[in-house]
Amino acid sequence: MRRLIGRMVERWRSFYRRSSIQMILSLSFTAVAVTGMIFLGLSLFLRFSVSTNHQLAESSERVMAQVNLHLDSYLRSMMRMSDTAYYRVIKRIDLETDTIDTELNLLYEGNRDMLVSIAVFSQKGELVSVAPLSTLKNSISPQWQEWFLSAQGKIENLHFSTPHVQNLFEDPDYRYRWVVSLSRQVELTRGGRTESGVLLVDMNFGGIEQICKDVELSPSGGYLYLIDGNGEIIYHPRQQLIYSDLLEENNLHAAQYPDGSHEELFQGRQRQVIVRTVGYTGWKLVGVVPLDGMLDDYDQLFLFALFVVLFSVFLLAFINLRLSEGISVPIKALDRSVKELEAGSTEVDFNVSGPYEIEHLGRSIDSLVSTMHHLMDDIIEQEQQKRRSELDVLHSQINPHFLYNTLDSVIWMTENGRTDESVRMVTSLARLFRISLSKGKMIIPVADELEHARHYLTIQQMRYKNRFTARISAEDGVPALYTIKLVVQPILENAIYHGMAYADGEGEILIHAFLENGDLVIEVADNGPGMPKELADRLLDQEYSPPGSKGSGIGLRNVHQRIRLTFGEPYGVTIQSEPDNGTVVRIRVPALKTPDAGTGKGEAR
């Protein structure tokens, strides 16, 4: 479980790192809004369901109360007829001298829509009087009828029977109707003496049926039925199917329910049952509302709510996308501007429109970049000044060094009586310094640099007469290019002092200028004794001084440093040498076509 949670968290982090700020804002806003909507929707749906169930129960109970009121009124009217027949007719007449037929007929005629018959029986079950006039069937023994026995057992009470077919009396048309019998014990007066009897009032079952049928308990359907205290069905809209065992009803369980609303599961169907007791009878009026129809309504409501939620989610996602776009677009613009700045662009606009904080951030970054550019310009200017100072120092190191060596040669020649040669040497020295000065310019034509090398060789050949020969050559077009001045002379100086001093007429120095891969290369090669590769590799080290040799190698390192300071890392001096195989020194600089092309480090070509 922990691994699963860990993988889910890692996937979320990976998605979070890959997603844009607009996507994160949109998803976050939408998720929060949808969660709130779902929670609110479920709360309202549950509240609506509970409220609907409550209202349905209340509505059904109101309908049941109304039906109960009508049924109670109907039964009370029958009870009043029974009281009228007993107290106003039977108790006032002595059956020894008079009959009650006329009064019972009048009572029957006044209520014939509700009544089927009114009959009085003696204690032995003999017919005393009946309305309308009819003959008791010979096969019937009233004293053993359930209504008769109940009346005898409940002297002070009225007894209502369950619906049954009235077949006590002869009917020439054989029309026997369904009735509900109301029976009670009465006192009959006969010859001044009282004896027990039974008053039977048969009310038309159709009146009860009319009250109970076609009652709509709820919009989703429902029905009601009537049972006695034992759960026997008095009325049911599908009574015939129940009697035929084609349909079942939960009437026996309903008889145990107290008055009120109940939920039950019957034959796999959930339904709501409302129970009301009919006064004076012990009957119970049972209303049944199937909840399946309500669930269908809930399904429709749920689908509608789901549609509303989905539409709202779509609308919220669109709105959140637009809102997040208003926040993320300025941030993306700042990000693009920063990337342009990282790519080296100098003209970057950080002024963006959006929320106040983002605009303030853009102005702050713009101010920071402007300050940075000013600082960079100051640093570049300082570096250039530093480079110029360093170049001036290095250049000043060359002139005294070379002047010392040349004057040493002049002194030597003068001491040896070689006046003409010393005059020529001084003349070459003057021309040499004229080129060296170059009116203060650091970048001179390659032709002048090679001319400077030729005058220097003239001076040195006069000093080391017959010890070496020299040849200077250049490819077409190379002399018209430009280079740093005084880069060849220090190399020649090292070649003469360390390679030609002991050549004894067989020394040779070759200077050749050419183009290689777009760069200017001036190669100085000699056939001197050479040196080990380890020594050649260390000669350009600033802090290295060759032991036991004449000179400190300052000229070679000086040239290398000046080229690096002016043109950058790719350029400078390289040395190739082996013992007894001579030395080749290569000077690599950019091929400058104008004297102004080399004013910055690495800006040649």
Side-chain angles (χ1 to χ4, degrees), residues 41-106:
L42 288 177
S43 300
L44 292 176
F45 181 76
L46 292 176
R47 177 61 181 169
F48 176 79
S49 300
V50 173
S51 177
T52 301
N53 289 337
H54 182 68
Q55 291 178 0
L56 178 63
E58 287 185 347
S59 175
S60 300
E61 288 182 359
R62 285 195 297 268
V63 173
M64 292 284 293
Q66 189 67 28
V67 173
N68 189 27
L69 181 63
H70 292 165
L71 189 59
D72 185 71
S73 177
Y74 184 82
L75 294 176
R76 282 178 178 275
S77 64
M78 296 198 62
M79 292 169 64
R80 285 195 299 269
M81 285 187 286
S82 176
D83 290 340
T84 300
Y86 180 39
Y87 294 108
R88 294 189 180 183
V89 177
I90 297 174
K91 290 185 71 70
R92 293 182 179 183
I93 295 179
D94 189 337
L95 297 177
E96 186 71 28
T97 60
D98 204 353
T99 65
I100 58 175
D101 295 340
T102 303
E103 286 77 3
L104 289 182
N105 276 320
L106 290 174

Side-chain angles (χ1 to χ4, degrees), residues 237-488:
R238 298 183 178 181
Q239 195 162 342
Q240 298 298 328
L241 295 177
I242 294 174
Y243 287 162
S244 303
D245 293 329
L246 299 177
L247 185 69
E248 293 184 7
E249 185 57 76
N250 201 26
N251 52 297
L252 297 180
H253 284 85
Q256 308 301 321
Y257 291 153
D259 286 7
S261 180
H262 311 274
E263 286 190 10
E264 67 176 15
L265 181 65
F266 181 65
Q267 294 182 340
R269 300 183 65 184
Q270 194 76 20
R271 59 186 195 173
Q272 188 179 44
V273 178
I274 303 99
V275 179
R276 300 279 295 197
T277 300
V278 181
Y280 304 105
T281 62
W283 295 354
K284 287 188 176 182
L285 191 62
V286 182
V288 178
V289 178
L291 297 180
D292 296 346
M294 294 176 59
L295 293 177
D296 292 339
D297 294 339
Y298 289 162
D299 290 342
Q300 294 179 3
L301 178 63
F302 179 78
L303 291 176
F304 175 75
L306 181 62
F307 171 77
V308 172
V309 168
L310 292 178
F311 177 77
S312 301
V313 168
F314 172 78
L315 186 62
L316 282 173
F318 177 77
I319 294 175
N320 288 336
L321 186 64
R322 301 300 298 175
L323 291 177
S324 60
E325 183 179 3
I327 298 174
S328 62
V329 167
I331 297 178
K332 289 181 179 179
L334 285 179
D335 182 65
R336 287 193 298 269
S337 300
V338 171
K339 289 181 179 178
E340 291 178 8
L341 182 66
E342 291 176 348
S345 178
T346 57
E347 298 296 331
V348 182
D349 185 14
F350 289 97
N351 295 318
V352 296
S353 60
Y356 167 76
E357 292 82 357
I358 299 178
E359 290 185 354
H360 179 70
L361 179 62
R363 290 193 296 268
S364 299
I365 295 176
D366 188 60
S367 176
L368 179 63
V369 171
S370 177
T371 304
M372 183 181 66
H373 283 158
H374 287 305
L375 292 175
M376 290 177 62
D377 292 341
D378 293 341
I379 292 173
I380 291 173
E381 180 63 26
Q382 292 175 5
E383 286 292 325
Q384 290 177 348
Q385 292 178 359
K386 180 180 178 182
R387 284 171 50 219
R388 284 194 293 268
S389 298
E390 290 175 347
L391 288 172
D392 291 340
V393 171
L394 291 174
H395 187 249
S396 66
Q397 290 176 348
I398 293 176
N399 291 333
H401 183 69
F402 170 70
L403 181 60
Y404 169 78
N405 290 329
T406 304
L407 291 177
D408 184 50
S409 298
V410 172
I411 292 172
W412 177 81
M413 295 176 69
T414 304
E415 289 177 348
N416 287 277
R418 298 164 62 178
T419 306
D420 294 337
E421 293 180 0
S422 64
V423 171
R424 288 177 55 196
M425 184 176 290
V426 171
T427 302
S428 295
L429 180 62
R431 294 178 180 176
L432 190 70
F433 270 99
R434 180 179 60 81
I435 297 175
S436 298
L437 293 175
S438 301
K439 299 180 181 180
K441 297 179 181 179
M442 295 297 297
I443 305 298
I444 63 174
V446 174
D448 289 348
E449 179 66 15
L450 295 179
E451 182 68 19
H452 180 276
R454 184 173 291 106
H455 286 296
Y456 176 76
L457 287 173
T458 299
I459 294 172
Q460 296 293 51
Q461 282 178 325
M462 291 177 64
R463 180 182 175 190
Y464 298 97
K465 190 173 183 179
N466 299 324
R467 291 192 180 183
F468 68 92
T469 59
R471 185 170 73 250
I472 300 176
S473 62
E475 288 185 353
D476 293 340
V478 170
L481 300 176
Y482 290 81
T483 183
I484 302 176
K485 66 182 179 181
L486 300 180
V487 292
V488 178

Side-chain angles (χ1 to χ4, degrees), residues 121-126 136 140-150 152 168 198:
F121 294 88
S122 67
Q123 189 174 3
K124 295 180 180 181
E126 298 171 346
L136 185 67
I140 297 299
S141 298
Q143 68 273 21
W144 305 114
Q145 296 285 323
E146 187 270 339
W147 53 267
F148 193 95
L149 296 174
S150 297
Q152 292 288 340
L168 293 175
V198 175

Side-chain angles (χ1 to χ4, degrees), residues 494 498 530-558 560-561 575:
N494 277 277
H498 300 289
M531 69 188 81
K533 184 177 184 302
E534 294 78 9
L535 178 61
D537 293 338
R538 299 186 65 186
L539 280 179
L540 299 178
D541 189 349
Q542 184 69 19
E543 298 180 357
Y544 175 73
S545 179
S549 62
K550 184 187 295 185
S552 61
I554 186 173
L556 204 63
R557 290 193 296 271
N558 185 294
H560 183 65
Q561 291 176 34
I575 302 174

Side-chain angles (χ1 to χ4, degrees), residues 146-278:
E146 187 270 339
W147 53 267
F148 193 95
L149 296 174
S150 297
Q152 292 288 340
K154 301 176 181 178
I155 300 175
E156 299 296 332
N157 296 329
L158 301 177
H159 171 68
F160 290 88
S161 71
T162 57
H164 60 279
V165 178
Q166 174 57 277
N167 59 355
L168 293 175
F169 306 101
E170 297 285 351
D171 188 338
D173 297 328
Y174 297 99
R175 292 184 299 110
Y176 299 106
R177 288 179 284 184
W178 283 81
V179 298
V180 174
S181 298
L182 171 60
S183 59
R184 66 189 298 176
Q185 187 184 42
V186 295
E187 291 183 350
L188 302 176
T189 304
R190 195 183 297 274
R193 298 187 309 273
T194 61
E195 60 183 45
S196 296
V198 175
L199 173 62
L200 175 66
V201 178
D202 286 333
M203 53 183 161
N204 192 349
F205 181 70
I208 297 177
E209 186 179 24
Q210 190 66 31
I211 293 173
C212 297
K213 74 174 183 179
D214 299 331
V215 175
E216 185 176 355
L217 294 179
S218 72
S220 60
Y223 61 92
L224 58 81
Y225 61 94
L226 188 63
I227 59 176
D228 64 8
N230 297 321
E232 294 295 329
I233 294 176
I234 298 174
Y235 164 78
H236 196 286
R238 298 183 178 181
Q239 195 162 342
Q240 298 298 328
L241 295 177
I242 294 174
Y243 287 162
S244 303
D245 293 329
L246 299 177
L247 185 69
E248 293 184 7
E249 185 57 76
N250 201 26
N251 52 297
L252 297 180
H253 284 85
Q256 308 301 321
Y257 291 153
D259 286 7
S261 180
H262 311 274
E263 286 190 10
E264 67 176 15
L265 181 65
F266 181 65
Q267 294 182 340
R269 300 183 65 184
Q270 194 76 20
R271 59 186 195 173
Q272 188 179 44
V273 178
I274 303 99
V275 179
R276 300 279 295 197
T277 300
V278 181

